[in-house]
Amino acid sequence: LCLTAGAGAGKTYHLVGTYLGLLAGEGGAEPLPPEAIVAITFTEKAALEMRQRVAQAVGSLAREGAPGPDWGALLARVEWAPISAIQSYCAQLLREHGALLGLDPEFAVLDQEAYAELVAQVIADHLRPLLREARPGMLRLLRDWSLGALSERLAGLLGQLATQGLGIDQARAASLAAHDAALAAGPELARRVELAVAAMSRDLAAGNLNQNAKFADNILELNDILTTKNGGLWGGEGLAPERLTRVLTLLGGNWGKAKPLKDAALEAAQGLADLALLPTARQRVEDILDLAQGVAADLEQELHRRAALSFDHLLLLARELLETQPRVREALRARQRALLVDEYQDVNPVQGRLVQLLTGLDQPGDSPVRCLLVGDRKQSIYAFRGADLAEFGRVMQSFADGAGRLAALP
């Protein structure tokens, strides 16, 4: 079930009720022990609150002598049930199975402050020799940013890639594809300039425009620049920057009745001017990705030396474990028969993929794991950590299309 619930709609009450129903075997389903029900939140505080509410509810049922399972016996087991923040769940998973990835099961987990300090130190250590050697890529970047600003951008880039679950090579490929897609618009933009100028030339020749106005001379020169014999704005070698500069100059000023066509030509020409900046932008992206690749390699080496992981590494390695170790994945699905996720609007792509792998929602047919995903589009607050509302939207759509049920609390 994917449940949308606004503020004050009682989603926590519903989550606790669902947990109790799983314990009791509501609806004729097999009762599940607390160890088989995984409840995930996105902060340790929220996980503690959920555990306390479940324990209070089970304790109340035990005191009332409610029918069903032995609620008193279940109470102690709830205290050790897998109700946790997602990073804690991933840490436990990696301590159990991380040796399959070459991890030391006694790894330390760096908090955000400690990890940020480590990243800053690794960046400084990596950049120092490059600066001393006056590496070209480094010098190009320092034309635009100070050393401190560049360091901050590198740290931010590594963090963004981690929360999106992307590697440097994937980012490089995406950048190249975006660059090529943008350049592909060049011929069409040039054609729009040419069509608008051609239309103004016809109006001028027909006497529909003032032939004594200054813009009349501009139209004639524009028409001459854009003729095929002169190569136009876009030829076999791409954009002609000198011609474009002149075209932009000629399209300035007051054009009277020709203004609509002039504006159309100017808009397209300015689009071409933006494309003229792409080679420089592409070089900048290549330079910073080259630096990021080196920093990432140094960072991984240092983390390995310390036998330490960051919160992002916990998620990424848990994803890798479940994607590459089918026996572990199937064993977890057999052992953990239900998954409850609160605040699903705050998941990032890596976390969304983890939910798929834990439940089997990425496969056709019925999921072997019962799940409840609860979220509210209006309450997403972790965009700065990579939370992506589109993930919640995709899950809602997949449930609406038959992967499960989609419902809303009033």
Side-chain angles (χ1 to χ4, degrees), residues 301-375:
Q301 186 176 13
E302 182 61 19
L303 287 169
H304 180 75
R305 187 186 71 80
R306 299 186 182 195
L309 299 175
S310 70
F311 287 170
D312 285 332
H313 283 85
L314 293 174
L315 301 179
L316 290 167
L317 289 170
R319 182 188 67 174
E320 181 182 348
L321 176 71
L322 295 177
E323 287 182 333
T324 61
Q325 303 295 327
R327 289 186 179 180
V328 173
R329 187 170 64 240
E330 296 309 317
L332 280 174
R333 291 176 183 175
R335 187 178 81 196
Q336 300 174 345
R337 305 293 302 281
L339 176 67
L340 313 180
V341 184
D342 194 12
E343 308 294 357
Y344 200 84
Q345 77 278 354
D346 286 326
V347 301
N348 63 36
V350 179
Q351 295 161 347
R353 178 62 178 152
L354 282 170
V355 170
Q356 288 183 336
L357 292 164
L358 289 170
T359 59
L361 286 172
D362 59 329
Q363 299 173 343
D366 293 336
S367 170
V369 177
R370 286 179 270 177
C371 66
L372 171 64
L373 312 179
V374 180

Side-chain angles (χ1 to χ4, degrees), residues 21-22 24-31 370:
L22 291 168
E26 280 186 357
E30 174 191 359
R370 286 179 270 177

Side-chain angles (χ1 to χ4, degrees), residues 14-69:
H14 192 87
L15 276 164
V16 173
T18 298
Y19 195 106
L20 298 178
L22 291 168
L23 292 175
E26 280 186 357
E30 174 191 359
L32 297 180
E35 298 80 10
I37 306 171
V38 176
I40 287 177
T41 67
F42 293 94
T43 66
E44 298 293 351
K45 180 180 177 181
L48 177 61
E49 181 182 350
M50 185 183 295
R51 185 185 300 279
Q52 290 173 339
R53 292 203 180 192
V54 169
Q56 289 169 0
V58 171
S60 294
L61 292 171
R63 289 190 296 273
E64 295 166 3

Side-chain angles (χ1 to χ4, degrees), residues 227-285:
T227 55
T228 304
K229 69 176 183 178
N230 287 327
L233 288 177
W234 197 279
E237 297 183 0
L239 183 64
E242 292 183 1
R243 295 193 195 107
L244 176 60
T245 299
R246 182 58 182 163
V247 165
L248 286 167
T249 300
L250 291 170
L251 287 172
N254 181 13
W255 283 60
K257 290 172 60 177
K259 185 178 185 302
L261 285 170
K262 185 271 293 189
D263 287 346
L266 181 60
E267 180 183 7
Q270 288 171 336
L272 287 170
D274 291 339
L275 294 187
L277 301 175
L278 280 179
T280 300
R282 178 176 176 176
Q283 182 64 65
R284 182 185 298 166
V285 170

Side-chain angles (χ1 to χ4, degrees), residues 62-95:
R63 289 190 296 273
E64 295 166 3
D70 185 343
W71 296 104
L74 288 176
L75 182 58
R77 295 167 70 183
V78 164
E79 292 297 330
W80 298 99
I83 301 174
S84 61
I86 192 166
Q87 64 269 19
S88 296
Y89 175 85
C90 291
Q92 182 59 38
L93 183 62
L94 292 172
R95 294 195 191 283

Side-chain angles (χ1 to χ4, degrees), residues 369-391:
V369 177
R370 286 179 270 177
C371 66
L372 171 64
L373 312 179
V374 180
D376 177 9
R377 285 173 177 265
K378 298 178 181 178
Q379 295 191 61
S380 181
I381 59 173
Y382 290 119
F384 67 96
R385 292 185 188 172
D388 185 358
L389 265 177
E391 283 292 320

Side-chain angles (χ1 to χ4, degrees), residues 116-149:
E117 290 176 357
L118 175 60
V119 171
Q121 185 59 54
V122 169
I123 289 174
D125 291 344
H126 185 82
L127 296 186
R128 194 175 296 114
L130 300 182
L131 187 60
R132 187 168 55 247
E133 297 164 13
R135 294 286 182 89
M138 181 78 170
L139 296 181
R140 282 192 295 266
L141 291 170
L142 290 176
R143 292 173 196 160
D144 298 316
W145 301 311
S146 68
L147 186 60

Side-chain angles (χ1 to χ4, degrees), residues 171-239:
R172 198 185 302 276
S175 174
L176 181 60
H179 176 271
D180 290 344
L183 281 181
E188 174 59 23
L189 288 170
R191 191 180 74 89
R192 285 166 50 190
V193 176
E194 292 162 4
L195 289 175
V197 170
M200 287 189 287
S201 296
R202 289 193 297 270
D203 284 347
L204 185 64
N208 296 329
L209 297 175
N210 182 357
Q211 297 184 354
N212 296 319
K214 183 179 183 302
F215 67 76
D217 293 334
N218 290 9
I219 292 173
L220 294 175
E221 185 176 347
L222 284 166
N223 192 57
D224 186 57
I225 291 173
L226 300 176
T227 55
T228 304
K229 69 176 183 178
N230 287 327
L233 288 177
W234 197 279
E237 297 183 0
L239 183 64

